[in-house]
Amino acid sequence: MSQPRSVLFVCVSNRGKSVMAEGLARTFVGGSIAASSAGTAAKIGAAPNDLSAEALAEVGADITGHTPRQLTDELMRSVDMTVMVGTSAVIDAPEGIVVEVWEIDEPSLHGIDGIERMRRIRDELIDRIKDLSRRLAS
């Protein structure tokens, strides 16, 4: 088996979508992706979003021990790939760093909130992560 590709998932706070993607990647495709996450305005010292953690626990992913960290140029240079999860974050990537953007359908725009919102985001992220794993393997 080849070495896993390192992927950095990024959102604004590193308490929701990016840490969800990190946890899901570790759970579903850990052999092909070495996942980490960061935020463009990380909430240092904060815990992951409770509903994000709950939605992930339902599929066997655990992010309860996660501590948000701030996105830096060094972090982006240290990984094979950076993925912006959602379009709220703004990344000024260093020269030569390509950032893939995943536009995530925001359930709250359709009147869906709470745990159901997080389940829908989770399910979309699972599909995208599995697709990313397949693309990186080929």
Side-chain angles (χ1 to χ4, degrees):
M1 178 178 223
S2 62
Q3 280 289 94
R5 300 283 303 271
S6 57
V7 178
L8 176 66
F9 295 101
V10 178
C11 70
V12 176
S13 69
N14 194 214
R15 295 183 58 234
K17 292 175 184 163
S18 63
V19 71
M20 287 177 76
E22 175 185 358
L24 291 166
R26 288 181 179 179
T27 300
F28 287 95
V29 296
S32 61
I33 293 176
S36 61
S37 64
T40 58
K43 305 289 184 190
I44 306 301
N49 175 291
D50 289 338
L51 291 176
S52 296
E54 182 180 338
L56 266 59
E58 293 174 351
V59 296
D62 182 12
I63 60 168
T64 55
H66 175 76
T67 302
R69 67 180 174 163
Q70 182 64 37
L71 179 67
T72 64
D73 289 355
E74 292 76 29
L75 270 176
M76 286 189 283
R77 286 186 187 105
S78 72
V79 297
D80 297 318
M81 178 178 211
T82 299
V83 175
M84 187 170 72
V85 185
T87 56
S88 296
V90 176
I91 297 175
D92 184 20
E95 186 174 330
I97 301 295
V98 176
V99 177
E100 182 170 302
V101 178
W102 290 356
E103 291 189 31
I104 303 295
D105 183 38
E106 179 48 61
S108 63
L109 297 177
H110 309 289
I112 301 165
D113 289 308
I115 190 64
E116 185 57 31
R117 172 182 176 256
M118 293 318 224
R119 287 176 179 141
R120 288 182 182 221
I121 292 169
R122 174 200 67 203
D123 293 346
E124 182 174 347
L125 287 173
I126 289 170
D127 291 342
R128 288 178 177 267
I129 288 163
K130 287 179 177 178
D131 175 67
L132 176 62
S133 177
R134 285 189 292 273
R135 287 188 289 132
L136 292 175
S138 62

